[in-house]
Amino acid sequence: MEQPAGPGRPRTVYAPRPGMDRGGARSYRLLAQVLVSRLASTGEGAAGEAAAAGREWGRFLVDPMPPFRRPGAAESADRLTALLSDLGFAPAQEVGEDGAPGRIRLRHCPFLELAEEYGQVVCSVHLGLMQGALAALDAPLTATALRPFAEPDSCLAELAPVPTSPDRPAGAAR
C-alpha cells in the first residue's frame, strides 16, 4: 500500500516479484541424464557412489518400524516391496525353496531409458535403495544383488539373510 495522498482509502499498488511461470513444461529426464552421465564418467567408483546414494535415500524413503520392534524376513520383504511399488517398479516377491523371501522381480523400471544407457549407475542406485531400506528397518535380510534385465520382462533383486557375527548378534542395530 502507498501512503495516502489525500482523503479516502489509499490505493493498492502492485509490484512485480521474481518468479517463474509454474505452468511451463518440465524436463526432469534431461536433468537426470546430465547428472547420471556425469557420475558415470567418473570411472570405476561410479557404481559404488551410486549405490551409496541409493542406500541413503532408501533409509529415508522406507516407512520406519515402531520403536522396539524388529521385523521378520517376510515383513521386511513386504515393506521393501511396498516401497518399490510406490516408486513404480511393479515388484513381485518370490519365495525361496525354504519358504523365506528369495528375490523380488521388478517388472517395470521408472528409469528405463536411463538404465538402458547408464545401467551401471542407475541399477546401482536401485540396489542401494533396497539395501538402505532394509538396513533402516534393521531387517534380518538384505539385497545382495540386482540382476538388470535378467529376463525379457524384468530385473531380479536377490535377497539373503544378513550374516550374524559375534560383533553383531541377531537383532542388534546396525
Side-chain angles (χ1 to χ4, degrees):
M1 294 242 194
E2 229 177 44
Q3 293 293 0
R9 199 167 110 185
R11 69 184 184 140
T12 302
V13 178
Y14 295 94
R17 292 176 56 190
M20 299 293 254
D21 174 12
R22 295 204 169 269
R26 303 288 188 270
S27 188
Y28 292 112
R29 181 167 174 223
L30 175 60
L31 175 62
Q33 270 184 300
V34 168
L35 297 173
V36 168
S37 67
R38 173 65 181 121
L39 182 57
S41 75
T42 62
E44 292 179 25
E49 287 296 318
R55 282 189 293 275
E56 290 300 317
W57 276 96
R59 287 182 185 98
F60 173 74
L61 292 172
V62 72
D63 290 331
M65 292 296 299
F68 311 110
R69 188 154 167 267
R70 184 173 188 238
E75 184 179 2
S76 298
D78 289 346
R79 283 175 169 261
L80 177 59
T81 302
L83 171 63
L84 293 170
S85 180
D86 290 347
L87 295 174
F89 286 96
Q93 272 188 60
E94 296 182 0
V95 180
E97 291 178 15
D98 60 356
R103 65 184 182 186
I104 297 177
R105 180 179 302 277
L106 305 174
R107 299 171 296 176
H108 174 76
C109 180
F111 311 104
L112 182 60
E113 294 81 9
L114 289 173
E116 289 172 334
E117 190 171 354
Y118 302 104
Q120 178 186 12
V121 171
V122 174
C123 299
S124 294
V125 169
H126 297 162
L127 177 60
L129 278 169
M130 291 181 265
Q131 291 170 337
L134 292 167
L137 295 171
D138 195 22
L141 58 106
T142 188
T144 57
L146 176 60
R147 295 187 303 148
F149 312 110
E151 296 180 358
D153 63 344
S154 56
C155 299
L156 298 174
E158 303 291 337
L159 304 176
V162 172
T164 57
S165 69
D167 297 337
R168 185 190 182 276
R174 283 177 245 192

